Amino acid sequence: MTADHGVTFRDRERLSRTPAHETALDCLNAGIEAALPERLIRTAVSVDDGRLRIEGVDGAVGTYDLAAHDRIVLLGAGKAAAGAAGALEGVLDRAGRGVDEGVVVTDGATDEAGERPPDASSPTAIDVCPGDHPLPSERGVESTRRVLAAAERVTESDLVLAVVTGGASALLAAPADPLSVDDLRALTSGLLASGASIEAINAVRKHCSAVKGGQVARAVAPATTVTLAVSDVIGDPLETIGSGPTVPDPSTYADALAVLDRYALDAPAAVRDHLQAGRDGRAPETPTEGDPAFDRSATFVVGNGRSALDAAATAAARRGYEPLVLSASVRGEAREAGTAHAAVAEECVARGSPVEPPAVLLSGGETTVTLEDAPDPGTGGPNAEFAAGAALALATGPLGDESEARDGEAKPEAAASRVVVAGVDTDGRDGPTDAAGAVADATTLDPERARDALDRHDVYPCFDEAGALLRTGATGTNVNDLRAVVVEPEDAPTRRYSNR
């Protein structure tokens, strides 16, 4: 078996300038690596005596007699699709039954050398096709057409394994007739900047697509279809992960139009005309629960944000910290989530509640940044804004340099460094930036500049100058955001190096 690839924070030694910083990075590193697709597949999938067994994170199990199917066809899309497809292919190959045909679409993210991230489970007999994220592209459309062509070749006697992971909504891009890829790009750009929830965004995208919202299942029916999903959505709603190409769609054209109106989106005229035609019954709806397309279909979530949180908690405990998972479902404005996490950390310091230091507070989920509230938004992403919001709250709170000690003197630097907060997007890309996120304490950012940067959504330059951006490159997975807040006891040993 080939060894798994790992994930490394660039300039790790410099970033680990105190034990608390080092612990935060350890927790994030462990969480991301636990969510790598080859590890998830190895845990969830096996073959015994010719029967394929798949177990989801919720304990659901499915078994399939491989000898009962003429061909095994593997289709998929998402940031973790190549790794997951390769891992599946490996399981089947070792059982003596390989993949007969396969096509997956993954992102074209590259590292600084222009190469895709190393992936020990890259498939060898499966076509890995390029797409783009977060906006759909012409090459993504062409790649998606290859997935559809493979789907159309499926027969009733085939077994279809569908891999759907975070990022598939943008990567699996085939505009519904008569829309163009330019229509999809303009629509997606407006949706992502609106502050709408992922459920609302996907309701629109599904009804402007030829593949989303159960339409791949419709294309391969009546073949047996088994979907393996790596979830990047809070609560793992199957219809929302990757816009649910193989599962029933509960949303409608009317729902999609309501999203455009609710957020006052200036969508292309062709998009609005298409949605209105669907609402009026002049275009077919996406397949819903009970549609024959799903008669021989099953879906298993094989990894999610909880997979990363559990591993991060284990890493914290190994370093002698008490881990506490606050929530796997944090959402809302990123800067406000940062303020809330800082407040919990301050409570730990002041009263030992909800956990006594040394402790690590962990959370997952997906926060948002509403760009429309700034006239000329700068550069940054939700995780950087989360870290900036937390750093500002810490700097101006009871542990910060700006607060007064009981004797009227400024707090010592050790007190200001008792809490370290870090947040990353597990795919290695925080919003439109080249960083995964950022790490900070009460001393990292000047409070006045941090306020201004948050108001202008321009926190990236602040963290870049502070040497506090976290960079991994594309990780090959995506299970949403992961955050670690390290709370040190008062007598904790400290060491501090220059950010530079």
Side-chain angles (χ1 to χ4, degrees):
M1 180 179 293
T2 308
D4 297 338
H5 79 274
V7 175
T8 303
F9 289 108
R10 296 167 190 165
D11 298 324
R12 169 69 186 259
E13 184 175 353
R14 177 183 59 76
L15 290 164
S16 301
R17 53 195 181 88
T18 71
H21 286 76
E22 187 173 21
T23 298
L25 297 184
D26 268 2
C27 291
L28 298 182
N29 212 119
I32 296 171
E33 290 191 342
L36 293 175
E38 57 265 33
R39 301 191 185 190
L40 297 174
I41 294 298
R42 190 164 61 225
T43 299
V45 182
S46 61
V47 177
D48 184 26
D49 195 25
R51 296 191 67 84
L52 176 68
R53 183 183 188 276
I54 303 171
E55 181 173 357
V57 294
D58 61 353
V61 175
T63 60
Y64 302 88
D65 183 1
L66 296 178
H69 301 279
D70 289 344
R71 297 192 311 151
I72 297 176
V73 178
L74 199 156
L75 308 175
K79 295 180 180 180
L88 271 172
E89 184 181 42
V91 171
L92 292 166
D93 282 346
R94 287 189 292 275
R97 178 69 190 270
V99 173
D100 294 285
E101 181 177 10
V103 185
V104 298
V105 184
T106 194
D107 65 316
T110 58
D111 61 20
E112 290 179 345
E115 301 292 334
R116 282 194 54 78
D119 190 338
S121 295
S122 294
T124 57
I126 298 169
D127 290 335
V128 179
C129 305
D132 290 282
H133 187 279
L135 300 180
S137 65
E138 290 284 0
R139 68 173 183 170
V141 170
E142 179 58 34
S143 295
T144 302
R145 289 185 179 130
R146 294 179 66 179
V147 173
L148 284 173
E152 290 167 359
R153 290 190 287 271
V154 167
T155 67
E156 184 175 0
S157 59
D158 292 337
L159 173 63
V160 178
L161 301 178
V163 174
V164 180
T165 78
S169 290
L171 292 163
L172 199 64
D177 187 56
L179 302 180
S180 69
V181 67
D182 288 338
D183 291 329
L184 291 189
R185 286 179 63 85
L187 173 66
T188 303
S189 181
L191 286 167
L192 294 178
S194 70
S197 68
I198 189 62
E199 291 80 8
I201 290 171
N202 284 357
V204 180
R205 292 199 285 199
K206 284 187 280 190
H207 287 87
C208 294
S209 170
V211 289
K212 298 174 174 57
Q215 295 182 82
V216 170
R218 180 183 276 167
V220 300
T224 298
T225 302
V226 184
T227 300
L228 295 89
V230 179
S231 174
D232 67 336
V233 185
I234 292 172
D236 305 335
L238 301 182
E239 70 275 8
T240 306
I241 302 169
S243 294
T246 58
V247 301
D249 179 24
S251 68
T252 65
Y253 282 104
D255 294 331
L257 281 168
V259 170
L260 298 189
D261 294 339
R262 185 182 315 135
Y263 293 95
L265 289 174
D266 185 21
V271 167
R272 191 169 286 274
D273 289 346
H274 171 72
L275 295 177
Q276 289 172 340
R279 179 197 60 190
D280 297 340
R282 290 181 282 120
E285 260 294 357
T286 49
T288 59
E289 193 74 46
D291 191 287
F294 308 112
D295 285 351
R296 299 171 65 185
S297 176
T299 300
F300 302 89
V301 176
V302 296
N304 56 15
R306 179 62 69 170
S307 306
L309 283 169
D310 289 346
T314 298
R318 285 175 178 166
R319 290 185 63 91
Y321 292 77
E322 183 68 27
L324 176 63
V325 176
L326 298 175
S327 173
S329 307
V330 174
R331 51 198 180 273
E333 283 294 317
R335 67 184 294 180
E336 295 171 6
T339 301
H341 282 63
V344 177
E346 290 167 346
E347 190 73 8
C348 292
V349 170
R351 297 177 178 81
S353 174
V355 63
E356 187 82 29
V360 179
L361 309 173
L362 298 162
S363 73
E366 184 174 36
T367 60
T368 55
V369 175
T370 304
L371 297 177
E372 292 182 347
D373 59 10
D376 187 21
T379 305
N383 287 283
E385 289 218 357
F386 165 83
L392 175 59
L394 291 169
T396 56
L399 300 177
D401 288 341
E402 288 196 346
S403 66
E404 295 292 320
R406 288 187 181 90
D407 58 5
E409 297 180 359
K411 287 284 196 294
E413 188 177 31
S417 302
R418 285 185 62 184
V419 176
V420 171
V421 59
V424 294
D425 193 320
T426 53
D427 68 0
R429 185 175 180 184
D430 186 28
T433 74
D434 65 347
V439 60
D441 61 22
T443 69
T444 303
L445 303 178
D446 173 74
E448 185 175 348
R449 187 179 180 196
R451 285 190 193 93
D452 177 65
L454 282 165
D455 289 342
R456 294 184 296 106
H457 301 305
D458 195 32
V459 298
Y460 180 100
C462 298
F463 280 119
D464 197 20
E465 291 175 19
L469 288 172
L470 299 178
R471 293 184 171 96
T472 61
T475 63
T477 192
N478 186 18
V479 291
N480 242 322
D481 299 335
L482 179 61
R483 310 173 196 89
V485 181
V486 181
V487 186
E488 294 280 20
E490 187 173 5
D491 58 351
T494 61
R495 68 178 188 275
R496 179 172 288 275
Y497 306 117
S498 166
N499 280 9
R500 296 295 181 183

